[in-house]
Structure formats: structure tokens, C-alpha cells
């Protein structure tokens, strides 16, 4: 464990206790008692309001709190993508650690109920293809649950205009795609970015129900019809 992480965990642990004894903190953090003494001395020298001394115990004065962690929406998406990838590596220990990291970061976000660090609606099997220009617009639409309107060219060369409720973005070996609930077809559809002639945010918001949500889409294991 790196020292910065250990200090952070030490402060968090002291926040949940009354008087903390060095041997108890050492056991919790799986370090030596002498390491706890050095870490607390360092924190006290840095201005942390910790009272007490070795052999007696330590108390973090009430009212102290760590600052909220602030991330932009793009940074939250990046964290969610990375954590989702780790959770799907097949390593149970890493998957568990990723879920714990998500919970810790989520708890530290300002207004966590409004800025969810949930599983990212973004899947990538490789990183060689450059992202299309519309990817950022789609990510915003997914995050804000906003209807988009696209002019789309199908495999036969015919154009159509669709109103969509975007759900997830895919970066696959066949290229960049996204899946959505299509209001025209009243069903899920998957669209290729390279066939989009125009894409706009409508400003209209939607609430996905159990039949039109990402969960419902994933349960169907993709769209029945490739457009």
C-alpha cells in the first residue's frame, strides 16, 4: 500500500472511531505499530487536528472532514469505463476491488445522488479506431437521458430520420456503433456512426422503463436486426 493511500485510510478510520489506539489501527491497516506512530506524527505536523500520544491513544477532533472529490462528467465516465473493464477481467479479487473503489469514489462525490459513478454505458474491445466526432454528443445524451434525432443511411443507401433514446456506445472490431430505443420502430436498434449524416440533441428528456432500459436491451443480448 502506498503511503498516500495509507494516510487517507488512516484518517478515514479515525473518523469512525472515538479514541483510536495504535495497535488497533495497525491491525486494521495491516502495518506495524511503529508505522502508525510515524504516520500520525506526520499528520499532526501537517496540521491535522489529532490529539493524543503514543501509549495513550489518538482522537481526531470532531468536525474535521475530508474535502469532497470533484470530477468533471468526462472524468466520471473515464473512471466508470476503467472500473467496468476491471470488473470484467475474470479475476474475482480485482472485480471486488473495482466495486469497492467505485463505492468509495461515489461516496466522496458532491451530490452523489445526482452524479452516479455507475457502470459506464460504453464498451470497447479495442482502441485502434479513432472516436467519431459524434461520440461526445451521444455520451451527453446518454448521461442526461436526452432524445436525439439523426439522419441515417442504411445498408441499402436509403436515408431516414429517427428519434432515438440512446443507451450504450460500442467500439468494436467492425467500428463504432451505438444502441438506442427507436421511437419509430418502437424497439431497440443499433446504428453505425459512419452512416450518420446528421445528429442533434432535441432537448427532450426521457425516462427509461423496464421495457426500454439498457438492462432490457442487454438481456436481449443485442439487437435482433443490424441496421
Amino acid at each position: 500500500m502506498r503511503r498516500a493511500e495509507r494516510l487517507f485510510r488512516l484518517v478515514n478510520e479515525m473518523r469512525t472511531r472515538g479514541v483510536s489506539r495504535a495497535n488497533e489501527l495497525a491491525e486494521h491497516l495491516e502495518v506495524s505499530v511503529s508505522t502508525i506512530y510515524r504516520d500520525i506524527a506526520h499528520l499532526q505536523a501537517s496540521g491535522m487536528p489529532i490529539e493524543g500520544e503514543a501509549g495513550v491513544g489518538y482522537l481526531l477532533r470532531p468536525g474535521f472532514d475530508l474535502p469532497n472529490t470533484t470530477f468533471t462528467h468526462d472524468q466520471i465516465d473515464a473512471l466508470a469505463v476503467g472500473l467496468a473493464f476491471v470488473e470484467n477481467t475474470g479475476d474475482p479479487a480485482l472485480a471486488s476491488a473495482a466495486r469497492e473503489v467505485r463505492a468509495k469514489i461515489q461516496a466522496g462525490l458532491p451530490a452523489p445522488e445526482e452524479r452516479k459513478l455507475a457502470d459506464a454505458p460504453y464498451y470497447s474491445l479495442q482502441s485502434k479506431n479513432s472516436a467519431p466526432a459524434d461520440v461526445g454528443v451521444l455520451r451527453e445524451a446518454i448521461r442526461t437521458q436526452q432524445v436525439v434525432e439523426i439522419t441515417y443511411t442504411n445498408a441499402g443507401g436509403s436515408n431516414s430520420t429517427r428519434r432515438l433514446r440512446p443507451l450504450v456506445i460500442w467500439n468494436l472490431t467492425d467500428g463504432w456503433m451505438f444502441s438506442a430505443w427507436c421511437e419509430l420502430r418502437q424497439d431497440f436498434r443499433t446504428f453505425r456512426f459512419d452512416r450518420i449524416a446528421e445528429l442533434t440533441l432535441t432537448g427532450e428528456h426521457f425516462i427509461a422503463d423496464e421495457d426500454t432500459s439498457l438492462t432490457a436491451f442487454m438481456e436481449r443480448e443485442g439487437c435482433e436486426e443490424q441496421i
Side-chain angles (χ1 to χ4, degrees), residues 39-57:
D39 286 349
I40 289 181
H42 173 79
L43 291 170
Q44 288 173 323
S46 300
M48 196 74 69
I50 298 175
E51 300 174 348
E53 58 183 288
V56 177

Side-chain angles (χ1 to χ4, degrees), residues 4-158:
E5 180 184 354
R6 189 176 69 245
L7 292 174
F8 181 83
R9 290 181 60 185
L10 176 58
V11 172
N12 267 336
E13 183 63 22
M14 294 183 70
R15 291 170 62 196
T16 66
R17 298 171 178 254
V19 175
S20 304
R21 299 191 180 279
N23 62 324
E24 296 170 345
L25 294 170
E27 181 179 358
H28 179 76
L29 295 176
E30 299 181 339
V31 297
S32 67
V33 172
S34 59
T35 296
I36 295 296
Y37 287 152
R38 288 196 299 270
D39 286 349
I40 289 181
H42 173 79
L43 291 170
Q44 288 173 323
S46 300
M48 196 74 69
I50 298 175
E51 300 174 348
E53 58 183 288
V56 177
Y58 298 95
L59 176 67
L60 183 61
R61 283 205 299 267
F64 173 79
D65 201 0
L66 293 172
N68 284 327
T69 303
T70 301
F71 295 104
T72 66
H73 289 298
D74 283 347
Q75 290 168 344
I76 289 176
D77 283 351
L79 287 168
V81 170
L83 290 171
F85 175 81
V86 174
E87 285 190 58
N88 290 298
T89 59
D91 185 315
L94 287 179
S96 177
R99 287 190 291 270
E100 291 174 357
V101 170
R102 175 182 287 111
K104 288 181 179 180
I105 297 176
Q106 178 68 44
L109 292 175
E113 70 283 353
E114 297 177 6
R115 307 184 75 185
K116 300 292 186 181
L117 185 63
D119 290 340
Y122 193 118
Y123 296 87
S124 178
L125 296 183
Q126 48 82 48
S127 58
K128 294 181 180 179
N129 293 338
S130 297
D134 291 326
V135 164
V137 177
L138 254 296
R139 282 198 295 109
E140 179 183 352
I142 292 171
R143 175 174 55 80
T144 59
Q145 292 189 293
Q146 189 171 168
V147 175
V148 300
E149 186 171 284
I150 67 171
T151 300
Y152 191 76
T153 305
N154 65 17
S158 300

Side-chain angles (χ1 to χ4, degrees), residues 202-221:
T202 65
E204 300 176 35
H205 297 273
F206 64 89
I207 298 177
D209 57 31
E210 61 181 10
D211 295 322
T212 63
S213 66
L214 176 59
T215 299
F217 169 77
M218 297 300 286
E219 286 177 352
R220 283 179 45 172
E221 297 182 352

